[in-house]
Amino acid sequence: MNATALRNQPAWSALQAHYATTKDHHLKQYFADDPTRGQRFVAEAAGVYLDYSKNRINSDTLRLLLQLAVESGLRDRIDAMFRGDRINVSEDRAVLHVALRAPRGASLTIGGQNVVPGVHAVLDRMAAFAERLRSGDWKGHTQQRIRTVVNIGIGGSDLGPVMAYEALKHWSDRSLAFRFVSNVDGTDFLEAVSDLDPAQTLFIVSSKTFTTLETMTNANSARDWLLAGLNGDSAAVARHFVAVSTNASEVARFGIDTDNMFGFWDWVGGRYSMDAAIGLSTMLAIGPAHFRDMLAGFHEMDEHFRTAPFEQNLPVLLGMLTVWYTNFFDVQTIAVLPYEQYLKRFPAYLQQLTMESNGKSVTLDGKPVNYATGPIFWGEPGTNGQHSFYQLIHQGTRIIPCDFIAFLHSLNPLGRHHDILIANALAQTEALAFGKTATEVEAEGTPTQLVGHRVFTGNRPSNTILLDTLTPAALGKLVSLYEHSVFTQGAIWQVNCFDQWGVELGKVLAQRIVPELESRADPMLSHDSSTNNLIRRYRAAQRRD
Ligand code: G6Q
């Protein structure tokens, strides 16, 4: 199927016609017409409850969206991924992050080779290391116990680990501290280590390629900082550095003992690697047993995605709703609003997952798309966002579909806090959907000149995603839910969710300008006049002119 073919799908045309006739239908009316709507437009699997009734859809919308999924070959795409086909066509790679959470004894193959035993071999090595470090058996160069772990990585080698650490802090060993350094801005590194004792610090250099400029710059500074604090004894590196990478030779060149390297594979994309060895910091924090619980949660949602009929399939439903808003309502952004403080980095994590995966404008065969693809994802935890940007969601001119994520039980029960938190989440979805009419505002005694300001048009869509408690398994389910929702969207748009040429570009471009900023001699500049001028201005400030 080529790009034009998507727009020629019978379901696509039917959805266009359906949109034209239903686009102004108000959620208030949908709910009035069907008092059971709030129980009908729901789905539950793997302990995740999805209420999608407050979306601008009816049964026909749903039927047509699922028909579009069928016509777009979503089933084949799912099967191809789980079969280990090289579905990352632009990099000629299989995409098998689902194998990272397959139980011991399962079989997922690439080119006839079962990759699951290799996955568990690495998990076992990680677990052995984690036990040693957590028990204090692993000592630093001066025989002191490690008290702080600093993960150095960026993008997929940072956002997953930091999100998971924050999300699962409740389950972590509080006698160990964790820091995450990603930015090449020296402030990030210096602030992270300013109060640390090198003798008690372990660095994890997390880099799939082990060539990423930011990570290697930070890793080199970390090595200098360590050696400066430990009398320059380079033997210390082996006790204070471990690596997570696919590139053993570069790891060895850096001076890290490859016995302390934890590998993964080219069939794991960076943004899909938090449950591979890139999750080493997570395992050190929460311990191997909890880490395995997290993997089991991922796996449960993977199996649901792989096997459940589309109409009950949570990732498919979430993904197709995103397609509905993106391609028919011309929605530009989607807000993700966790009512759970521990998920404060979840929106940042999701930004990479969603936008690096589906921010594409050519199809799998390299042809330009003639429809919109990945929307912008953003968000903040509730209730904080309510006191800032929710204004625009309630009363602005744009439709911003929202995912409200909440847990039935708090990990930190404290007086009435949780009841108030959840009441806010529910109240927001209600207000967004139903709004407040001028008549209602007037009935409250509002002065006439203020009525317009206080009207809420409503009809603003949202999903509510409820889980029981934020356990490691719950986090795995939630991440897997979004991973497969992204996959579903990508299958409809026929884009490659698994490459990132836009990110690669940045890696190359900076390498060209660095020497031009640093050279002693005046460089021959051949950029545009703006870039040339900015380079000269920087050089002048450094007195290199
Ligand atoms: C993720 C991307 C990107 C990558 C980083 C770090 O899917 O590919 O964010 O994770 O650029 O790359 P390394 O792990 O190779 O340092």
Side-chain angles (χ1 to χ4, degrees):
M1 189 166 83
N2 62 38
T4 335
L6 173 59
R7 295 181 70 103
N8 291 342
Q9 295 291 349
W12 181 279
S13 321
L15 278 162
Q16 274 180 320
H18 176 72
Y19 169 73
T21 57
T22 59
K23 66 182 166 47
D24 296 321
H25 207 83
H26 203 288
L27 280 166
K28 199 183 270 182
Q29 197 58 47
Y30 278 134
F31 274 86
D33 292 347
D34 175 7
T36 64
R37 183 180 168 92
Q39 292 104 58
R40 280 202 313 121
F41 287 93
V42 299
E44 187 167 13
V48 180
Y49 182 81
L50 169 66
D51 176 344
Y52 58 97
S53 62
K54 293 189 184 99
N55 280 290
R56 290 170 66 167
I57 58 167
N58 61 21
S59 309
D60 287 333
T61 328
L62 197 59
R63 180 177 52 74
L64 291 171
L65 285 172
L66 297 179
Q67 187 186 323
L68 183 65
V70 171
E71 287 171 7
S72 303
L74 176 60
R75 170 51 53 205
D76 287 348
R77 300 291 298 158
I78 296 173
D79 292 344
M81 175 168 70
F82 280 85
R83 208 169 42 225
D85 287 5
R86 292 174 176 270
I87 60 170
N88 177 355
V89 286
S90 68
E91 296 179 319
D92 191 26
R93 288 175 181 164
V95 174
L96 219 49
H97 46 277
V98 291
L100 300 170
R101 48 265 193 155
R104 221 182 272 280
S107 174
L108 283 159
T109 57
I110 295 178
Q113 180 106 28
N114 182 8
V115 298
V116 178
V119 166
H120 282 273
V122 174
L123 282 172
D124 290 343
R125 287 187 56 234
M126 287 165 64
F129 177 70
E131 299 292 10
R132 285 190 68 193
L133 190 105
R134 286 163 60 88
S135 68
D137 177 43
W138 175 281
K139 300 240 173 2
H141 183 59
T142 58
Q143 293 307 307
Q144 293 189 53
R145 197 171 166 166
I146 300 297
R147 294 291 176 195
T148 305
V149 175
V150 182
N151 185 75
I152 297 176
I154 196 165
S157 300
D158 168 69
L159 287 160
V162 73
M163 180 279 288
Y165 171 67
E166 293 293 345
L168 299 177
K169 208 172 197 166
H170 176 84
W171 309 92
S172 70
D173 177 348
R174 301 300 176 113
S175 69
L176 278 171
F178 288 81
R179 305 259 165 100
F180 296 84
V181 174
S182 51
N183 200 336
V184 76
D185 184 339
T187 299
D188 203 10
F189 176 76
L190 287 176
E191 285 291 346
V193 299
S194 65
D195 57 348
L196 299 184
D197 177 354
Q200 300 182 347
T201 303
L202 177 87
F203 292 97
I204 305 175
V205 185
S206 294
S207 176
K208 182 172 168 180
T209 54
F210 228 74
T211 56
T212 303
L213 181 61
E214 292 91 331
T215 300
M216 296 328 294
T217 306
N218 277 320
N220 282 311
S221 296
R223 186 173 48 192
D224 293 348
W225 174 84
L226 181 93
L227 295 183
L230 293 177
N231 299 323
D233 187 351
S234 60
V237 172
R239 305 303 302 169
H240 293 269
F241 278 84
V242 297
V244 177
S245 188
T246 56
N247 190 344
S249 55
E250 283 298 320
V251 169
R253 224 156 63 91
F254 182 87
I256 296 176
D257 185 346
T258 46
D259 278 354
N260 301 323
M261 164 178 154
F262 302 91
F264 59 118
W265 306 270
D266 72 356
W267 42 266
V268 183
R271 56 195 171 278
Y272 296 88
S273 65
M274 62 168 273
D275 43 0
I278 289 291
L280 182 62
S281 57
T282 315
M283 191 191 270
L284 293 176
I286 64 174
H290 286 320
F291 193 85
R292 289 204 160 96
D293 289 346
M294 181 181 82
L295 298 182
F298 268 103
H299 180 66
E300 213 179 322
M301 186 57 75
D302 293 344
E303 283 302 283
H304 166 71
F305 178 57
R306 188 176 69 80
T307 59
F310 287 173
E311 60 274 17
Q312 291 157 24
N313 197 309
L314 270 59
V316 172
L317 291 166
L318 264 191
M320 294 313 296
L321 285 165
T322 301
V323 169
W324 174 233
Y325 291 121
T326 303
N327 296 115
F328 298 94
F329 281 83
D330 200 20
V331 146
Q332 307 290 315
T333 86
I334 294 184
V336 181
L337 310 165
Y339 277 66
E340 168 54 70
Q341 186 61 19
Y342 283 127
L343 289 184
K344 64 183 181 195
R345 293 301 302 268
F346 193 64
Y349 169 79
L350 267 193
Q351 286 189 332
Q352 181 186 29
L353 177 67
T354 57
M355 299 202 274
E356 201 173 346
S357 297
N358 284 339
K360 312 285 161 68
S361 50
V362 296
T363 55
L364 290 165
D365 51 7
K367 305 268 169 35
V369 295
N370 54 5
Y371 41 80
T373 62
I376 297 157
F377 277 75
W378 59 286
E380 275 286 318
T383 59
N384 294 9
Q386 290 177 206
H387 297 263
S388 70
F389 56 78
Y390 278 38
Q391 166 61 34
L392 185 150
I393 305 181
H394 281 288
Q395 287 191 306
T397 54
R398 300 160 197 280
I399 299 176
I400 301 185
C402 301
D403 286 354
F404 287 82
I405 302 170
F407 293 82
L408 297 174
H409 299 286
S410 171
L411 289 165
N412 294 301
L414 176 65
R416 297 172 57 220
H417 284 246
H418 198 62
D419 296 343
I420 295 171
L421 176 73
I422 300 304
N424 269 281
L426 303 185
Q428 289 295 325
T429 70
E430 194 177 22
L432 287 168
F434 302 109
K436 198 189 264 185
T437 62
T439 319
E440 288 165 333
V441 175
E442 276 159 12
E444 289 171 348
T446 307
T448 315
Q449 72 276 16
L450 291 185
V451 169
H453 296 278
R454 301 184 62 169
V455 164
F456 291 80
T457 53
N459 214 14
R460 294 167 189 257
S462 67
N463 291 306
T464 303
I465 298 168
L466 286 180
L467 295 94
D468 189 82
T469 310
L470 180 47
T471 58
L475 182 70
K477 292 170 188 183
L478 199 57
V479 173
S480 171
L481 169 65
Y482 277 98
E483 284 178 350
H484 297 317
S485 166
V486 165
F487 182 85
T488 299
Q489 295 156 41
I492 306 305
W493 294 324
Q494 306 156 45
V495 297
N496 183 358
C497 305
F498 303 105
D499 61 9
Q500 55 283 315
W501 298 102
V503 173
E504 309 302 333
L505 174 72
K507 295 191 179 187
V508 175
L509 290 185
Q511 297 280 16
R512 182 173 160 211
I513 293 186
V514 168
E516 294 173 343
L517 295 184
E518 291 184 332
S519 73
R520 283 186 171 278
D522 214 10
M524 274 286 292
L525 298 176
S526 54
H527 304 272
D528 58 276
S529 60
S530 162
T531 311
N532 286 347
N533 192 40
L534 292 166
I535 290 172
R536 286 194 198 102
R537 206 174 164 83
Y538 180 82
R539 287 180 58 85
Q542 315 298 323
R543 306 210 175 284
R544 291 175 193 151
D545 51 339

